[in-house]
Amino acid sequence: MGLPFSALNKLGVPGLGAVTTGQVYDRHFKDRDTGTFKDFHLAYVEFCKYFNTVLPGQDFDTPDRGELEAFHKKWAVADEPGRKKMFIEYMQENVHEAKVDDSLFIMAGLAAPAAAIIAKKSGESIPQVKKFKVHLIPNVIFVPVCTLVAIMGATAVQMSKKSKDNNKPTS
C-alpha cells in the first residue's frame, strides 16, 4: 500500500527525514513550554497529528507513553540545540510506518461476493428474509454493496484490535 519513502523522495515528496527536521520541530517544540511531561505530551500529540497529515496516506506507530516519559526526562535537561538533535534522532529511531495486515481485507474482498450471492439465493426460500424482498435488488448493486460492507467491517475489526493493543497497560 503506497510507495516506499525512497521512491517518493526521488519524486520530490518529502520523506521521514525531511519532515522531522527544522520546521516541524520549531513549530511544535521550540517556543513552547514543555517543562512538564503533560505539556510535552500535548505538544507531542499535536506533532504526531501534523506529521500524519504532512504525508498523506501514511500512518505511523509512535512509542508508548512509558518510552516517551523516559525520553522526556533526558530531553528536558538538554539545552535547545541539543534538544532538537535528540528529538530528531529519537523520532528516526522510534517512529515507524504502521503495518497493516492486508490478509483480512483480501479475505473479505474474496469471500463477500460469493457470500452475497449465496445469501440472496437462500433468502428467497427463508420466510424471515423473504419479507425484506432482497430478490428484487439486482446483483450488480447487491454484490458490490455487500463487498463494501464486508471491507468496512474488516476495517472496523482491525481498528478495534489496534485500539485494544494501544490501551494495554505497560509494565
Side-chain angles (χ1 to χ4, degrees):
M1 290 181 84
L3 297 170
F5 285 127
S6 59
L8 290 173
N9 287 340
K10 290 177 185 175
L11 296 172
V13 177
L16 181 62
V19 172
T20 60
T21 57
Q23 63 184 0
V24 176
Y25 177 83
D26 293 343
R27 179 180 188 165
H28 294 281
F29 294 96
K30 185 176 182 182
D31 298 324
R32 208 160 167 179
D33 179 28
T34 53
T36 65
F37 178 72
K38 181 180 178 182
D39 294 334
F40 176 78
H41 193 253
L42 287 173
Y44 185 80
V45 168
E46 287 178 14
F47 163 77
C48 289
K49 181 179 174 188
Y50 177 76
F51 190 70
N52 281 331
T53 57
V54 168
L55 294 171
Q58 300 292 328
D59 284 321
F60 297 90
D61 290 328
T62 57
D64 66 6
R65 185 181 171 120
E67 291 176 25
L68 196 58
E69 282 186 66
F71 169 72
H72 178 259
K73 288 177 184 173
K74 294 180 215 168
W75 183 79
V77 295
D79 59 340
E80 185 55 40
R83 282 182 170 189
K84 186 173 184 176
K85 184 179 178 195
M86 282 175 68
F87 185 78
I88 291 170
E89 289 172 359
Y90 181 78
M91 295 304 290
Q92 289 175 337
E93 292 172 9
N94 296 299
V95 176
H96 307 287
E97 187 175 350
K99 302 291 184 223
V100 177
D101 184 17
D102 289 337
S103 63
L104 190 60
F105 297 110
I106 292 171
M107 287 189 297
L110 291 174
I117 295 297
I118 291 169
K120 188 174 177 185
K121 292 291 181 191
S122 64
E124 293 173 2
S125 60
I126 300 172
Q128 291 84 356
V129 179
K130 198 172 189 178
K131 66 181 172 186
F132 291 111
K133 301 191 189 290
V134 178
H135 64 282
L136 296 176
I137 303 171
N139 286 347
V140 242
I141 295 172
F142 187 73
V143 172
V145 168
C146 288
T147 305
L148 183 62
V149 168
I151 291 174
M152 288 170 50
T155 304
V157 166
Q158 193 168 41
M159 289 173 60
S160 173
K161 182 179 182 267
K162 190 171 186 176
S163 175
K164 286 179 185 175
D165 289 346
N166 289 339
N167 290 331
K168 285 183 182 174
T170 58
S171 50

